[in-house]
Amino acid sequence: MPKDGGIGASSKRREDVRFLTGRGRYTDDININNQTYVHFLRSDVAHATIKGIDTSSADAMPGVVRIFTGADFEGIGSIPCGWQVTDRHGEPMQEPAHPVLAQGKVRHVGDPICAVVAESLEQARDAAEAIELDLEELPAVVDMKAAVADGSTKVHDDLTSNLCYDWGFVEENREAVDEAIKSAAHVTTLELVNNRLVANPMEPRVAVGDWNAGTDDYTLYTTSQNPHVIRLLMGAFVLGIPEHKLRVVAPDVGGGFGTKIFHYAEEAFCTFAAKQVGRPVKWTSSRSEAFMSDAHGRDHVTKIELALDADNNFTALRTETYANMGAYLSTFAPSIPTWLHGTLMAGNYKTPLIYVNVKAVFTNTVPVDAYRGAGRPEATFQLERVVDKAARELGVDPIELRRQNFITEFPYATPVAVEYDTGDYHATMDKLAEIGDLSGFEARLEESKKRGKLRGLGVNCYIEACGIAPSNLVGQLGARAGLYESATVRVNATGSISVMTGSHSHGQGHETAFPQVIAEMIGIDESQIEIVHGDTATSPMGMGTYGSRSLAVGGSAMVRAAEKVINKAKKIASHLLEASEADIELKDGQFTVAGTDKSVAWGDVTLAAYVPHNYPLEEIEPGLEETAFYDPNNFTYPSGAYCCEVEVDPDTGKVTIESFAAADDFGNIVNPMIVSGQVHGGLAQGIGQALLENCSYDENGQILSASYMDYAMPRADDVPFYEVDHSCQTPCTHNPLGVKGCGEAGAIGSPPAVVNAVVDALQRAGKDVTHIDMPLTPGKVWAAMNG
Amino acid sequence: MTQVSMTVNGKAVSGEVEGRTLLSGFLRDSLNLTGTHVGCDTSQCGACVVHVDGVAVKACAMLAGEAEGAEVTTIEGMAKPDGSLSTIQQAFQDHHGLQCGFCTPGMVMSAAALLQDNPNPSETEIREYLEGNICRCTGYHNIVKAIMAAAGQDVSKIAAE
């Protein structure tokens, strides 16, 4: 029987009611009395020297309040980068300045040059058209390998080259890996591109800056996954506003997928300008602006080599990747191709020797940073593609080759520095065979053939590292932040509970799932518990939501705070019941004395805490509110096995997804309905990457896909119903809930399944095709088929 | 500036707009009906779908002036008279057909228009009808399922958890 509440129940989402009735409160729904509107005049060329800016005509346009340029930001801080990677020679990465508005040069299409503040958005836009820019175009750096070749134009004159860093991991293994590959019985090599994507949350970014002239306090309303992080980065590093004078609010946020983690120039501008003009300043991104200013994702060019012995055991793995940073370093950009990518290269396999080389490169393109999965999809894609290619070269079953090399004993220390606590890769593969009906494939293949279609089956595994992250570890790796999470559990006098969490919900359903955990612990109804988030004024310092960390880290903080509350409540109960504290038990909202029928209700204890007439005041303080900060001691390691069946139309090259199944191990599950929904969404994004999506630049650095007319988003008729299962559960051993995280798995595990399936379909049809770069558009597939 | 008058969610409204003011802007900025969302600038995403004289329309692709005299229904007008969720809204909640909620108003308005024209659509018909509504969160699985359920179809065999 499914549970009707608490941990493991598919509780319906309480937040849905406001979203379904149009009563959500997103940042663009916030309007402050007397507010102004800003429009950014952005560069329409990729690389140029700013020779002059003439705003004289624009200044006189109706409604213009003030026009800002880079000169107004002299002495204001650079948009900071939150992670410093050390290269393979022990040197720090090259780190360029990133001004709020361009100073001297523009470095990508979309780089903001002027900000027009006006009475209305239309007036701001009209005035921006009257600004005369004198831009002297420079050669654009677009291709990564050309960017690091001798004599390339530099994106930043003050850096020695366009190479941000040359990272080797694990550097000490390099020679041993080279040797193992040289002496291997078989080596499979694959060169591939992990295509540049745009996260595209449906809500574009918005920022509203407000300044209180009476108190000199600032408030920024922004579409963020982590308001405290924005407060710290913007306050301390850009604008010099102390944290106690700066409040950051991220209300209902319409999706993030990584791209709303980062601190952006527009946020700093609106906050800064609010004081300068003495009025609130609002910016709402258009979708076209979003394509030119939201940090992009992926964009790796990789060569991977897998060595096997004569018995098909993996003996070594070597990769070389060029990772695009874009024109500036976005908040977490340097960490994505390194610590969130290299550390996952073991995948599900006991490959003993691994060496990963990553060259991060500056180009005249929009900055690249985390997008759903962030480094782990790039690791999984190349690994699962090269394993598939190896199986086909060796004439062995791709599933059996994987099974033969699975890690089976846990904990398992990989040769790339991480230790998997739990997992059961055979179990998820067995479950996949069941839910994907793998034994029925041959019959479906025949059926497709009768209709003249080429059918293919692609299977792959994945592992990811979530629950980011142990602060002391990431500090050693270059993080300029801790990655704990916080929660305050505030019990009210009548027993209801407000939980202030540093996690942020922008679609994940925290307002429903987090109360399920507290309800389970105390035994009261979920409706008595409310989650408060998204406001630095109400929540303790928190690091926010990304990397599938909310329940594993934020939920753990909440559990720790709730445990403190329960311990204190037991002291109060023991006083009221005149019993020893050690004998007090809490169940179903009742404190009882073990072995007796004496009890006191939760609400009576909470009332006593705030009306302490009969209360152990000499031992404990009144009130019932506790805060906990939880810092994990390891990552969590969700894993799974995915399969995809495709049909390829031999006449057009069009690929259709006929079925997709995902068997995941997320450890314990709090709300299965929400978990399934997270997987569904990830799968659509992964299928989108594999078949449809591509952020494209021409050789001049002009972005060619800056609207939904040109960037192919997955739509309802591009995807099937998915079969998903998360009944294989090896709970995490080091967090109190035993949870691993589920937000990114779908996007990590699905691209290789799709590409493996298409290659399978073409090879079954006798085509000599071993790889096609994503997205697998009809044109590319047709060209591959027809040589 | 010109004066426009229309009926929105059963209530007569009017306001001053520029000739270039879009219906989506009039609803959001003049009437404070912020449930109608704007997710793109090329009339692709469908977050702004409303009903104008009973027909699903992208409110970002229509000038406010063009709606002069029209009967407009927005997401704020979709609940039952007692304030409880309509059949379609309830199906979206029951089947987890939304996550961040940003595309949701447009999805609900499109779904309502579909079921008005085609009370018992097939999965394929639903998917094709939703071509003009982009969702980035749900992978569409539970949206399609919710619409099938709202049409009274048995969705128990469609994979859920």
Side-chain angles (χ1 to χ4, degrees), chain A residues 10 12-13 20 26 29 199 287-288 677 693 714-717 722, chain B residues 28 39 41 44 89 94 99-100 127 131 136-137 139-140 161:
Chain A
S10 284
K12 288 179 195 173
R13 298 201 331 163
L20 281 162
Y26 299 87
D29 303 338
R287 183 58 62 184
S288 305
E693 297 179 40
R715 304 196 185 217
D717 56 357
Y722 319 97
Chain B
R28 288 184 57 80
D41 46 11
Q44 294 278 308
Q89 289 169 321
D94 290 346
Q99 291 182 24
C100 81
R127 290 186 184 277
E131 260 278 319
R136 193 56 153 171
C137 293
Y140 303 100
E161 285 159 17

PDB file of all heavy atoms in Angstrom, chain A residues 10 12-13 20 26 29 199 287-288 677 693 714-717 722, chain B residues 28 39 41 44 89 94 99-100 127 131 136-137 139-140 161:
ATOM      1  N   SER A  10       3.687   9.689  -2.044  1.00  0.00           N
ATOM      2  CA  SER A  10       3.602  10.605  -3.190  1.00  0.00           C
ATOM      3  C   SER A  10       2.615  11.719  -2.858  1.00  0.00           C
ATOM      4  O   SER A  10       1.569  11.872  -3.501  1.00  0.00           O
ATOM      5  CB  SER A  10       3.181   9.841  -4.445  1.00  0.00           C
ATOM      6  OG  SER A  10       4.269   9.106  -4.954  1.00  0.00           O
ATOM      7  N   LYS A  12       0.733  15.030  -2.911  1.00  0.00           N
ATOM      8  CA  LYS A  12       0.527  16.005  -3.984  1.00  0.00           C
ATOM      9  C   LYS A  12       1.172  17.327  -3.593  1.00  0.00           C
ATOM     10  O   LYS A  12       1.206  17.692  -2.422  1.00  0.00           O
ATOM     11  CB  LYS A  12      -0.970  16.218  -4.213  1.00  0.00           C
ATOM     12  CG  LYS A  12      -1.633  15.039  -4.874  1.00  0.00           C
ATOM     13  CD  LYS A  12      -3.117  15.311  -5.052  1.00  0.00           C
ATOM     14  CE  LYS A  12      -3.841  14.016  -5.359  1.00  0.00           C
ATOM     15  NZ  LYS A  12      -5.301  14.209  -5.367  1.00  0.00           N
ATOM     16  N   ARG A  13       1.620  18.054  -4.594  1.00  0.00           N
ATOM     17  CA  ARG A  13       2.389  19.265  -4.292  1.00  0.00           C
ATOM     18  C   ARG A  13       1.479  20.422  -3.905  1.00  0.00           C
ATOM     19  O   ARG A  13       0.594  20.824  -4.661  1.00  0.00           O
ATOM     20  CB  ARG A  13       3.241  19.655  -5.499  1.00  0.00           C
ATOM     21  CG  ARG A  13       4.267  18.607  -5.885  1.00  0.00           C
ATOM     22  CD  ARG A  13       5.386  19.173  -6.708  1.00  0.00           C
ATOM     23  NE  ARG A  13       4.971  20.310  -7.509  1.00  0.00           N
ATOM     24  CZ  ARG A  13       5.823  21.176  -8.070  1.00  0.00           C
ATOM     25  NH1 ARG A  13       7.124  21.019  -7.902  1.00  0.00           N
ATOM     26  NH2 ARG A  13       5.383  22.173  -8.803  1.00  0.00           N
ATOM     27  N   LEU A  20      -1.197  26.859 -10.486  1.00  0.00           N
ATOM     28  CA  LEU A  20      -2.289  26.488 -11.400  1.00  0.00           C
ATOM     29  C   LEU A  20      -3.367  27.545 -11.486  1.00  0.00           C
ATOM     30  O   LEU A  20      -4.220  27.495 -12.367  1.00  0.00           O
ATOM     31  CB  LEU A  20      -2.917  25.160 -10.933  1.00  0.00           C
ATOM     32  CG  LEU A  20      -2.119  23.910 -11.317  1.00  0.00           C
ATOM     33  CD1 LEU A  20      -2.538  22.726 -10.457  1.00  0.00           C
ATOM     34  CD2 LEU A  20      -2.299  23.594 -12.795  1.00  0.00           C
ATOM     35  N   TYR A  26       6.450  35.390  -9.225  1.00  0.00           N
ATOM     36  CA  TYR A  26       7.775  35.340  -9.832  1.00  0.00           C
ATOM     37  C   TYR A  26       8.377  36.748  -9.805  1.00  0.00           C
ATOM     38  O   TYR A  26       7.668  37.730  -9.580  1.00  0.00           O
ATOM     39  CB  TYR A  26       7.676  34.816 -11.268  1.00  0.00           C
ATOM     40  CG  TYR A  26       7.119  33.407 -11.344  1.00  0.00           C
ATOM     41  CD1 TYR A  26       5.748  33.176 -11.395  1.00  0.00           C
ATOM     42  CD2 TYR A  26       7.965  32.302 -11.324  1.00  0.00           C
ATOM     43  CE1 TYR A  26       5.226  31.890 -11.433  1.00  0.00           C
ATOM     44  CE2 TYR A  26       7.457  31.010 -11.367  1.00  0.00           C
ATOM     45  CZ  TYR A  26       6.089  30.812 -11.426  1.00  0.00           C
ATOM     46  OH  TYR A  26       5.585  29.534 -11.457  1.00  0.00           O
ATOM     47  N   ASP A  29       6.802  39.528 -11.568  1.00  0.00           N
ATOM     48  CA  ASP A  29       5.493  39.953 -11.041  1.00  0.00           C
ATOM     49  C   ASP A  29       5.654  41.025  -9.962  1.00  0.00           C
ATOM     50  O   ASP A  29       4.657  41.580  -9.484  1.00  0.00           O
ATOM     51  CB  ASP A  29       4.741  38.758 -10.443  1.00  0.00           C
ATOM     52  CG  ASP A  29       4.544  37.632 -11.453  1.00  0.00           C
ATOM     53  OD1 ASP A  29       4.599  37.922 -12.667  1.00  0.00           O
ATOM     54  OD2 ASP A  29       4.346  36.484 -11.036  1.00  0.00           O
ATOM     55  N   ALA A 199      20.563  26.557 -21.224  1.00  0.00           N
ATOM     56  CA  ALA A 199      19.711  25.897 -20.230  1.00  0.00           C
ATOM     57  C   ALA A 199      18.232  26.166 -20.465  1.00  0.00           C
ATOM     58  O   ALA A 199      17.407  25.272 -20.348  1.00  0.00           O
ATOM     59  CB  ALA A 199      20.111  26.354 -18.829  1.00  0.00           C
ATOM     60  N   ARG A 287      13.850  36.727 -24.183  1.00  0.00           N
ATOM     61  CA  ARG A 287      14.447  35.415 -24.495  1.00  0.00           C
ATOM     62  C   ARG A 287      15.679  35.593 -25.370  1.00  0.00           C
ATOM     63  O   ARG A 287      16.678  34.874 -25.209  1.00  0.00           O
ATOM     64  CB  ARG A 287      13.415  34.519 -25.172  1.00  0.00           C
ATOM     65  CG  ARG A 287      13.897  33.115 -25.484  1.00  0.00           C
ATOM     66  CD  ARG A 287      14.373  32.361 -24.247  1.00  0.00           C
ATOM     67  NE  ARG A 287      13.317  32.162 -23.271  1.00  0.00           N
ATOM     68  CZ  ARG A 287      13.516  31.591 -22.085  1.00  0.00           C
ATOM     69  NH1 ARG A 287      14.726  31.153 -21.738  1.00  0.00           N
ATOM     70  NH2 ARG A 287      12.521  31.486 -21.225  1.00  0.00           N
ATOM     71  N   SER A 288      15.643  36.543 -26.295  1.00  0.00           N
ATOM     72  CA  SER A 288      16.820  36.752 -27.148  1.00  0.00           C
ATOM     73  C   SER A 288      18.017  37.168 -26.309  1.00  0.00           C
ATOM     74  O   SER A 288      19.144  36.703 -26.528  1.00  0.00           O
ATOM     75  CB  SER A 288      16.532  37.839 -28.188  1.00  0.00           C
ATOM     76  OG  SER A 288      15.384  37.518 -28.926  1.00  0.00           O
ATOM     77  N   GLY A 677       9.146  12.721 -11.653  1.00  0.00           N
ATOM     78  CA  GLY A 677       9.051  13.955 -12.436  1.00  0.00           C
ATOM     79  C   GLY A 677      10.414  14.550 -12.724  1.00  0.00           C
ATOM     80  O   GLY A 677      10.674  15.065 -13.814  1.00  0.00           O
ATOM     81  N   GLU A 693      19.020  20.070 -29.757  1.00  0.00           N
ATOM     82  CA  GLU A 693      19.533  21.353 -29.284  1.00  0.00           C
ATOM     83  C   GLU A 693      20.983  21.582 -29.697  1.00  0.00           C
ATOM     84  O   GLU A 693      21.810  20.686 -29.578  1.00  0.00           O
ATOM     85  CB  GLU A 693      19.437  21.415 -27.752  1.00  0.00           C
ATOM     86  CG  GLU A 693      18.022  21.335 -27.236  1.00  0.00           C
ATOM     87  CD  GLU A 693      17.966  21.370 -25.715  1.00  0.00           C
ATOM     88  OE1 GLU A 693      18.725  22.133 -25.104  1.00  0.00           O
ATOM     89  OE2 GLU A 693      17.166  20.615 -25.151  1.00  0.00           O
ATOM     90  N   PRO A 714      13.079  20.705 -27.086  1.00  0.00           N
ATOM     91  CA  PRO A 714      12.194  19.539 -27.180  1.00  0.00           C
ATOM     92  C   PRO A 714      10.739  19.936 -26.913  1.00  0.00           C
ATOM     93  O   PRO A 714      10.471  20.695 -25.983  1.00  0.00           O
ATOM     94  CB  PRO A 714      12.698  18.614 -26.062  1.00  0.00           C
ATOM     95  CG  PRO A 714      13.994  19.159 -25.612  1.00  0.00           C
ATOM     96  CD  PRO A 714      14.031  20.608 -25.982  1.00  0.00           C
ATOM     97  N   ARG A 715       9.862  19.444 -27.737  1.00  0.00           N
ATOM     98  CA  ARG A 715       8.427  19.715 -27.560  1.00  0.00           C
ATOM     99  C   ARG A 715       7.713  18.396 -27.297  1.00  0.00           C
ATOM    100  O   ARG A 715       8.311  17.331 -27.384  1.00  0.00           O
ATOM    101  CB  ARG A 715       7.879  20.424 -28.789  1.00  0.00           C
ATOM    102  CG  ARG A 715       8.685  21.692 -29.063  1.00  0.00           C
ATOM    103  CD  ARG A 715       8.038  22.654 -29.994  1.00  0.00           C
ATOM    104  NE  ARG A 715       8.982  23.751 -30.252  1.00  0.00           N
ATOM    105  CZ  ARG A 715       8.633  25.012 -30.395  1.00  0.00           C
ATOM    106  NH1 ARG A 715       7.380  25.362 -30.303  1.00  0.00           N
ATOM    107  NH2 ARG A 715       9.535  25.930 -30.633  1.00  0.00           N
ATOM    108  N   ALA A 716       6.437  18.509 -26.983  1.00  0.00           N
ATOM    109  CA  ALA A 716       5.704  17.330 -26.508  1.00  0.00           C
ATOM    110  C   ALA A 716       5.743  16.187 -27.520  1.00  0.00           C
ATOM    111  O   ALA A 716       5.724  15.014 -27.130  1.00  0.00           O
ATOM    112  CB  ALA A 716       4.259  17.716 -26.197  1.00  0.00           C
ATOM    113  N   ASP A 717       5.791  16.508 -28.805  1.00  0.00           N
ATOM    114  CA  ASP A 717       5.760  15.425 -29.792  1.00  0.00           C
ATOM    115  C   ASP A 717       7.157  14.953 -30.194  1.00  0.00           C
ATOM    116  O   ASP A 717       7.302  14.160 -31.119  1.00  0.00           O
ATOM    117  CB  ASP A 717       4.930  15.823 -31.023  1.00  0.00           C
ATOM    118  CG  ASP A 717       5.424  17.102 -31.673  1.00  0.00           C
ATOM    119  OD1 ASP A 717       6.374  17.709 -31.146  1.00  0.00           O
ATOM    120  OD2 ASP A 717       4.854  17.496 -32.701  1.00  0.00           O
ATOM    121  N   TYR A 722       7.865   7.871 -20.733  1.00  0.00           N
ATOM    122  CA  TYR A 722       9.089   7.214 -20.277  1.00  0.00           C
ATOM    123  C   TYR A 722       8.743   6.127 -19.258  1.00  0.00           C
ATOM    124  O   TYR A 722       7.812   6.292 -18.474  1.00  0.00           O
ATOM    125  CB  TYR A 722      10.024   8.217 -19.591  1.00  0.00           C
ATOM    126  CG  TYR A 722      10.122   9.561 -20.263  1.00  0.00           C
ATOM    127  CD1 TYR A 722       9.350  10.634 -19.827  1.00  0.00           C
ATOM    128  CD2 TYR A 722      10.969   9.763 -21.348  1.00  0.00           C
ATOM    129  CE1 TYR A 722       9.420  11.872 -20.439  1.00  0.00           C
ATOM    130  CE2 TYR A 722      11.051  11.008 -21.968  1.00  0.00           C
ATOM    131  CZ  TYR A 722      10.270  12.060 -21.508  1.00  0.00           C
ATOM    132  OH  TYR A 722      10.344  13.288 -22.121  1.00  0.00           O
TER     133      TYR A 722
ATOM    134  N   ARG B  28      -0.797  41.932 -17.808  1.00  0.00           N
ATOM    135  CA  ARG B  28       0.172  41.876 -16.701  1.00  0.00           C
ATOM    136  C   ARG B  28       0.343  43.250 -16.033  1.00  0.00           C
ATOM    137  O   ARG B  28       0.308  43.346 -14.803  1.00  0.00           O
ATOM    138  CB  ARG B  28       1.548  41.400 -17.196  1.00  0.00           C
ATOM    139  CG  ARG B  28       1.601  39.917 -17.551  1.00  0.00           C
ATOM    140  CD  ARG B  28       3.028  39.505 -17.945  1.00  0.00           C
ATOM    141  NE  ARG B  28       3.977  39.808 -16.878  1.00  0.00           N
ATOM    142  CZ  ARG B  28       4.154  39.066 -15.810  1.00  0.00           C
ATOM    143  NH1 ARG B  28       3.476  37.944 -15.655  1.00  0.00           N
ATOM    144  NH2 ARG B  28       5.037  39.418 -14.874  1.00  0.00           N
ATOM    145  N   GLY B  39       7.483  34.101 -21.805  1.00  0.00           N
ATOM    146  CA  GLY B  39       8.705  33.289 -21.751  1.00  0.00           C
ATOM    147  C   GLY B  39       9.582  33.425 -22.974  1.00  0.00           C
ATOM    148  O   GLY B  39      10.670  32.860 -23.019  1.00  0.00           O
ATOM    149  N   ASP B  41      10.183  35.880 -26.992  1.00  0.00           N
ATOM    150  CA  ASP B  41       9.809  37.068 -27.755  1.00  0.00           C
ATOM    151  C   ASP B  41       9.566  36.731 -29.216  1.00  0.00           C
ATOM    152  O   ASP B  41       9.641  37.598 -30.079  1.00  0.00           O
ATOM    153  CB  ASP B  41      10.874  38.159 -27.601  1.00  0.00           C
ATOM    154  CG  ASP B  41      12.295  37.624 -27.767  1.00  0.00           C
ATOM    155  OD1 ASP B  41      12.433  36.463 -28.197  1.00  0.00           O
ATOM    156  OD2 ASP B  41      13.251  38.350 -27.453  1.00  0.00           O
ATOM    157  N   GLN B  44       6.800  31.562 -29.475  1.00  0.00           N
ATOM    158  CA  GLN B  44       7.071  30.137 -29.568  1.00  0.00           C
ATOM    159  C   GLN B  44       6.687  29.363 -28.312  1.00  0.00           C
ATOM    160  O   GLN B  44       6.302  28.204 -28.381  1.00  0.00           O
ATOM    161  CB  GLN B  44       8.578  29.917 -29.815  1.00  0.00           C
ATOM    162  CG  GLN B  44       9.065  30.435 -31.143  1.00  0.00           C
ATOM    163  CD  GLN B  44       8.795  29.461 -32.256  1.00  0.00           C
ATOM    164  OE1 GLN B  44       9.147  28.296 -32.156  1.00  0.00           O
ATOM    165  NE2 GLN B  44       8.150  29.914 -33.301  1.00  0.00           N
ATOM    166  N   GLN B  89      -7.173  21.766 -14.030  1.00  0.00           N
ATOM    167  CA  GLN B  89      -6.193  22.180 -13.016  1.00  0.00           C
ATOM    168  C   GLN B  89      -5.961  21.051 -12.010  1.00  0.00           C
ATOM    169  O   GLN B  89      -4.831  20.756 -11.634  1.00  0.00           O
ATOM    170  CB  GLN B  89      -6.698  23.440 -12.290  1.00  0.00           C
ATOM    171  CG  GLN B  89      -6.670  24.689 -13.162  1.00  0.00           C
ATOM    172  CD  GLN B  89      -7.421  25.844 -12.519  1.00  0.00           C
ATOM    173  OE1 GLN B  89      -8.472  25.654 -11.901  1.00  0.00           O
ATOM    174  NE2 GLN B  89      -6.886  27.047 -12.653  1.00  0.00           N
ATOM    175  N   ASP B  94      -2.958  16.385  -9.637  1.00  0.00           N
ATOM    176  CA  ASP B  94      -3.010  14.953  -9.308  1.00  0.00           C
ATOM    177  C   ASP B  94      -1.903  14.176 -10.001  1.00  0.00           C
ATOM    178  O   ASP B  94      -1.399  13.196  -9.458  1.00  0.00           O
ATOM    179  CB  ASP B  94      -4.366  14.371  -9.728  1.00  0.00           C
ATOM    180  CG  ASP B  94      -5.509  14.869  -8.866  1.00  0.00           C
ATOM    181  OD1 ASP B  94      -5.239  15.452  -7.797  1.00  0.00           O
ATOM    182  OD2 ASP B  94      -6.678  14.683  -9.271  1.00  0.00           O
ATOM    183  N   GLN B  99       6.100  21.620 -12.602  1.00  0.00           N
ATOM    184  CA  GLN B  99       7.198  21.685 -11.637  1.00  0.00           C
ATOM    185  C   GLN B  99       7.430  23.142 -11.247  1.00  0.00           C
ATOM    186  O   GLN B  99       6.973  23.598 -10.202  1.00  0.00           O
ATOM    187  CB  GLN B  99       8.435  20.982 -12.181  1.00  0.00           C
ATOM    188  CG  GLN B  99       8.213  19.448 -12.261  1.00  0.00           C
ATOM    189  CD  GLN B  99       9.408  18.668 -12.754  1.00  0.00           C
ATOM    190  OE1 GLN B  99      10.547  19.104 -12.642  1.00  0.00           O
ATOM    191  NE2 GLN B  99       9.158  17.481 -13.301  1.00  0.00           N
ATOM    192  N   CYS B 100       8.131  23.909 -12.094  1.00  0.00           N
ATOM    193  CA  CYS B 100       8.397  25.306 -11.691  1.00  0.00           C
ATOM    194  C   CYS B 100       7.159  26.175 -11.825  1.00  0.00           C
ATOM    195  O   CYS B 100       7.086  27.243 -11.233  1.00  0.00           O
ATOM    196  CB  CYS B 100       9.563  25.897 -12.472  1.00  0.00           C
ATOM    197  SG  CYS B 100       9.159  26.508 -14.125  1.00  0.00           S
ATOM    198  N   ARG B 127      -0.073  15.547 -27.919  1.00  0.00           N
ATOM    199  CA  ARG B 127       1.321  15.961 -28.143  1.00  0.00           C
ATOM    200  C   ARG B 127       1.420  16.944 -29.309  1.00  0.00           C
ATOM    201  O   ARG B 127       2.161  17.920 -29.250  1.00  0.00           O
ATOM    202  CB  ARG B 127       2.215  14.737 -28.368  1.00  0.00           C
ATOM    203  CG  ARG B 127       2.408  13.894 -27.106  1.00  0.00           C
ATOM    204  CD  ARG B 127       3.408  12.759 -27.325  1.00  0.00           C
ATOM    205  NE  ARG B 127       3.519  11.905 -26.148  1.00  0.00           N
ATOM    206  CZ  ARG B 127       4.284  12.170 -25.076  1.00  0.00           C
ATOM    207  NH1 ARG B 127       5.027  13.254 -25.061  1.00  0.00           N
ATOM    208  NH2 ARG B 127       4.312  11.338 -24.050  1.00  0.00           N
ATOM    209  N   GLU B 131       2.367  21.467 -29.463  1.00  0.00           N
ATOM    210  CA  GLU B 131       3.534  21.954 -30.215  1.00  0.00           C
ATOM    211  C   GLU B 131       3.904  23.393 -29.857  1.00  0.00           C
ATOM    212  O   GLU B 131       5.068  23.765 -29.853  1.00  0.00           O
ATOM    213  CB  GLU B 131       3.208  21.903 -31.711  1.00  0.00           C
ATOM    214  CG  GLU B 131       3.787  20.715 -32.418  1.00  0.00           C
ATOM    215  CD  GLU B 131       5.238  20.970 -32.776  1.00  0.00           C
ATOM    216  OE1 GLU B 131       5.541  22.086 -33.194  1.00  0.00           O
ATOM    217  OE2 GLU B 131       6.041  20.045 -32.625  1.00  0.00           O
ATOM    218  N   ARG B 136      10.129  23.105 -19.855  1.00  0.00           N
ATOM    219  CA  ARG B 136      11.507  22.645 -19.714  1.00  0.00           C
ATOM    220  C   ARG B 136      11.658  21.692 -18.515  1.00  0.00           C
ATOM    221  O   ARG B 136      12.710  21.091 -18.359  1.00  0.00           O
ATOM    222  CB  ARG B 136      12.424  23.874 -19.529  1.00  0.00           C
ATOM    223  CG  ARG B 136      13.912  23.604 -19.679  1.00  0.00           C
ATOM    224  CD  ARG B 136      14.298  22.970 -21.003  1.00  0.00           C
ATOM    225  NE  ARG B 136      15.675  23.282 -21.393  1.00  0.00           N
ATOM    226  CZ  ARG B 136      16.305  22.705 -22.411  1.00  0.00           C
ATOM    227  NH1 ARG B 136      15.694  21.789 -23.141  1.00  0.00           N
ATOM    228  NH2 ARG B 136      17.546  23.051 -22.721  1.00  0.00           N
ATOM    229  N   CYS B 137      10.627  21.595 -17.679  1.00  0.00           N
ATOM    230  CA  CYS B 137      10.781  20.826 -16.437  1.00  0.00           C
ATOM    231  C   CYS B 137      10.288  19.389 -16.515  1.00  0.00           C
ATOM    232  O   CYS B 137      10.920  18.489 -15.976  1.00  0.00           O
ATOM    233  CB  CYS B 137      10.008  21.491 -15.297  1.00  0.00           C
ATOM    234  SG  CYS B 137      10.630  23.084 -14.758  1.00  0.00           S
ATOM    235  N   GLY B 139       9.390  17.208 -19.006  1.00  0.00           N
ATOM    236  CA  GLY B 139       9.567  16.226 -20.082  1.00  0.00           C
ATOM    237  C   GLY B 139       8.245  15.832 -20.717  1.00  0.00           C
ATOM    238  O   GLY B 139       8.171  14.857 -21.462  1.00  0.00           O
ATOM    239  N   TYR B 140       7.189  16.595 -20.415  1.00  0.00           N
ATOM    240  CA  TYR B 140       5.840  16.482 -20.986  1.00  0.00           C
ATOM    241  C   TYR B 140       5.064  15.244 -20.525  1.00  0.00           C
ATOM    242  O   TYR B 140       3.844  15.187 -20.681  1.00  0.00           O
ATOM    243  CB  TYR B 140       5.865  16.524 -22.527  1.00  0.00           C
ATOM    244  CG  TYR B 140       6.508  17.778 -23.074  1.00  0.00           C
ATOM    245  CD1 TYR B 140       7.826  17.765 -23.533  1.00  0.00           C
ATOM    246  CD2 TYR B 140       5.823  18.982 -23.085  1.00  0.00           C
ATOM    247  CE1 TYR B 140       8.427  18.926 -24.010  1.00  0.00           C
ATOM    248  CE2 TYR B 140       6.416  20.144 -23.566  1.00  0.00           C
ATOM    249  CZ  TYR B 140       7.732  20.113 -24.032  1.00  0.00           C
ATOM    250  OH  TYR B 140       8.318  21.255 -24.494  1.00  0.00           O
ATOM    251  N   GLU B 161       5.534   5.933 -11.419  1.00  0.00           N
ATOM    252  CA  GLU B 161       6.603   6.101 -10.441  1.00  0.00           C
ATOM    253  C   GLU B 161       7.652   5.018 -10.633  1.00  0.00           C
ATOM    254  O   GLU B 161       7.421   3.867 -10.513  1.00  0.00           O
ATOM    255  CB  GLU B 161       6.047   6.021  -9.020  1.00  0.00           C
ATOM    256  CG  GLU B 161       5.304   7.291  -8.674  1.00  0.00           C
ATOM    257  CD  GLU B 161       4.333   7.081  -7.523  1.00  0.00           C
ATOM    258  OE1 GLU B 161       4.453   6.086  -6.806  1.00  0.00           O
ATOM    259  OE2 GLU B 161       3.463   7.941  -7.368  1.00  0.00           O
TER     260      GLU B 161
END
